[in-house]
Structure formats: C-alpha cells, structure tokens
Amino acid sequence: MRFRCAVLDDFQNVAVTSADWSVLGDRVEVVSFGEHFASEDELAAALADFDCVVTLRERVPFPASLLNRLPRLRLLIASGMRNSVIDHAAAKAGGVTVCGTESSGTPPVELTWALLLGLARGIVEENNALRAGGPWQSTVGADLHGRTLGLLGLGRIGSRVAQIGLAFGMEVVAWSQNLTEERADEAGVRLAPSKEELLASSDFVSVHLSLSDRTRGLIGAAELSLLKPTAYLINTSRAAIVDQDALLAALHEGRIAGAGVDVFDVEPLPADHPMRSAPRLLATPHLGYVSRANYARYYGQAVEDIQAYLDGAPVRLLG
C-alpha cells in the first residue's frame, strides 16, 4: 500500500512547491489541505487514511484522544524542533514516530519590527485614508530614536530585535526570570531590575518568551496598567503569555496607545472574534514564521524526515 502523507493548514497552497517532493518518487502520495480542521472529529475523519501528517507550528493539537483515532498514522512531522501540543507519550505508545524541522528566527524578528513601525507611524491608518480619499495626514508618528524598547525575553529572537532597536538609537532594556546582567551586557542592553520596572519605563514593549507554566498569563490586567498611556505592546511570541481579555479592555479604554499582535488564543480567528475589530490594534494572522525561506526549510526538511523514516533511520526526532 502506498505511503500517504497529509499536509495540514496549507492556506497559501504552496507546500508542494516550496520543496522538492519528487525525491520521494512513487513511494509517497502527498495531499495538502488548504482548510483548517477546527474539531477533533473533523481531523480524525480527514486523516483516517494517512500514514504521515505534516503540521505547522502548534496550531493543531495531537492529544492521545486524537492519536488513538488514527490507527494508520505512523509518522507525525512538526515544523520547528519543539511542539507542546503533541502528546509525545501517547504517540510513542501508539507506535507513531514524531520528527521536527529546523526553523529560522529571522522571519519573526522582521515581523516584530513591521508591527512596531506600523504602529509607531500609523501606516495602516494613513494608507487606508490615502486610498479612500480621506484626510491628508491624520496621525502624528511616535519617534523611536531616544525612546525605550523593553524586551520580555532576550533569547535567539529577542537579542536580534534588540540589535535593531539599538540601530534605531533606542535605549533597550530586557527582563526575564532567568536573564543575567552578564547576558544583557553581551547583547548591549540594560537588565531591568524587574518586570514591573520594564513595563513602567518602556515606550515599546515586545514579547519574546517561550510559553511555559511560568510565562502563561505573565502580562495581565495589573501589568498592562503599568504601561504608559503612550506605550505600545507587541506580541509575536505566544498568545497565552498576554491575557487577551485584559489587552482588549486596555485597547477599548484607551489605556495604551496600541498593540501589535500576531498570535491568538484561537487560530484561525473566528469571523466574529473581538480581536478582529478592536481599536488601536494592528493584527496579522500569525505571519511570524510565514516566509519563503522558512517554508523552504520546513517542507524541505519534512521531505527529508519522510525519506529517512522510510529508509529506516528517522532524523530530527522529537519527544
């Protein structure tokens, strides 16, 4: 029987053109799905006849309840080398090999600055007004030079965001539970003595932390109240780090100048979700990892993972 591979959430219909799947020859049949399956029942029905599934990031959970409904599944490939929504123990118990792919930190760094600059200079509002024959110059841009950029997290992505902030002439401060003064000095930034001090002193705050029990809900109503009314919050990391309801309240009440968000509690966002219509919000549909080079890496290494599995020597094992 031919080995069948399903590619999930191929919204742009580019999975099969982003890599050379022909190296798999006639051994593998690849089927990409452009629609998102929101429920476990939909997933179980769609994936019942597949030996392999390629899933993007952590959008689609694979708990034991779903894995147990996919008896044919033998190989599960996730983009990135960490995936918290796959039940690795259940996969192992069911004989499912879980593999990952490498991921570049460059696209989320670039998107972070696209959101920050878009907010600071009112790009969307001014563009919409210009195209619609609206007012000529209706906003006054927020300066970056000489302002303070606060980074929650100074890892692989946060440190690169810091470099760009320094190039703009910003003062960059950073904080996380494990950040040391030595590490901050290496990155050329100041270590904030506390999360609260960082929030209160920053003109722009950008989140670059991994999601864990310690970071879930790290920014709630109390933390948002510390921000200046002229401050902006950017989150391209994980939605659950920032309390979504508290952020919506701050935006509606005008307690902060604005927010740039690329990650959400539910993805894709329902048509009537309040994040779609919130004021002072520049939002993108989780584009942080969506770039040509990153897709070439994701799908190219997914092909390698499949080939290695079929040859009996799996690579980039997870869990």
Side-chain angles (χ1 to χ4, degrees), residues 21 35 70 90 100 113 165 170 177 228 252 279 315:
W21 295 79
E35 70 276 20
L70 302 174
W113 280 99
M170 304 182 79
Q177 287 100 331
K228 303 174 184 179
H252 279 284
V315 296

Side-chain angles (χ1 to χ4, degrees), residues 221-284:
E223 288 76 18
L224 290 169
S225 70
L226 298 174
L227 291 172
K228 303 174 184 179
T230 55
Y232 297 89
L233 175 71
I234 296 92
N235 185 11
T236 58
S237 183
R238 290 292 183 269
I241 296 173
V242 179
D243 185 302
Q244 188 168 264
D245 291 336
L247 177 59
L248 283 168
L251 292 170
H252 279 284
E253 295 167 14
R255 287 188 275 112
I256 61 174
V261 175
D262 186 49
V263 287
F264 307 92
D265 289 344
V266 179
E267 296 184 9
L269 276 180
D272 59 350
H273 196 283
M275 292 293 278
R276 287 186 179 267
S277 56
R280 305 176 181 85
L281 177 66
L282 177 56
T284 47

Side-chain angles (χ1 to χ4, degrees), residues 8 15 89-90 93 182 188 204-205 226 229 279 285 293 313 319:
L8 296 180
E182 180 183 16
F204 299 86
V205 175
L226 298 174

